[in-house]
Amino acid sequence: MKSIEVVAAIIQHNGKTLCVQRGPAKFDYIHHKFEFPGGKVEAGETGEQAIIRELKEELHLGISKADYFMTVDHTYPDFHITMHAYICPVENRDIVLTEHIDAKWLSIDELPQLDWAAADVPFVEKLMAK
């Protein structure tokens, strides 16, 4: 089974957290699911470097701070994922969706309303427990 290492950004602004929705996928378990934006860690990158690069690519968003939050290991039917999440405060909500079909800025208590990708659920649960 393929194993990948990825990063996810919990982007926050004025008490709201950015949630992005994946587009159509061949597998139901990620089709149109919400997630925290991010992507694969490339060879030689730290988690912080990966999250900064991914947010520039996916959202045209520059960040100056990424604080480690937690790591989740999750096995989907066809691959295993190790995902490191970072809290990323931003100065504004200006984003450009290049890979996702929707974005929502929600308060922490609104996060459970969304249909999350399974690997992202532990992040939501930890945020709710704070």
Side-chain angles (χ1 to χ4, degrees):
M1 180 176 288
K2 186 168 82 167
S3 188
I4 59 171
E5 184 178 12
V6 300
V7 290
I10 299 168
I11 300 169
Q12 298 181 321
H13 180 262
N14 285 349
K16 301 286 185 175
T17 299
L18 179 64
C19 314
V20 291
Q21 188 177 25
R22 296 178 68 98
K26 63 180 176 178
F27 299 113
D28 284 346
Y29 58 83
I30 57 173
H31 177 80
H32 287 160
K33 299 286 187 180
F34 277 87
E35 65 182 4
F36 294 107
K40 291 181 186 168
V41 178
E42 293 181 357
E45 278 186 325
T46 65
E48 291 89 348
Q49 290 168 330
I51 204 69
I52 289 167
R53 177 186 50 75
E54 285 288 344
L55 294 179
K56 280 182 185 166
E57 291 173 6
E58 281 190 16
L59 300 173
H60 296 188
L61 178 65
I63 61 164
S64 56
K65 187 175 180 182
D67 295 320
Y68 176 77
F69 182 61
M70 73 181 283
T71 297
V72 167
D73 281 297
H74 184 81
T75 301
Y76 284 109
D78 62 329
F79 68 98
H80 177 83
I81 188 170
T82 299
M83 186 162 40
H84 311 287
Y86 294 82
I87 301 284
C88 303
V90 294
E91 297 296 316
N92 61 63
R93 297 183 188 178
D94 297 338
I95 61 169
V96 176
L97 295 179
T98 64
E99 295 186 18
H100 296 91
I101 61 169
D102 194 14
K104 297 180 183 300
W105 289 91
L106 301 176
S107 63
I108 296 296
D109 61 347
E110 293 174 307
L111 296 180
Q113 299 172 10
L114 300 179
D115 184 14
W116 288 94
D120 288 77
V121 169
F123 301 141
V124 173
E125 291 171 344
K126 184 172 179 182
L127 288 166
M128 298 285 300
K130 279 186 146 189

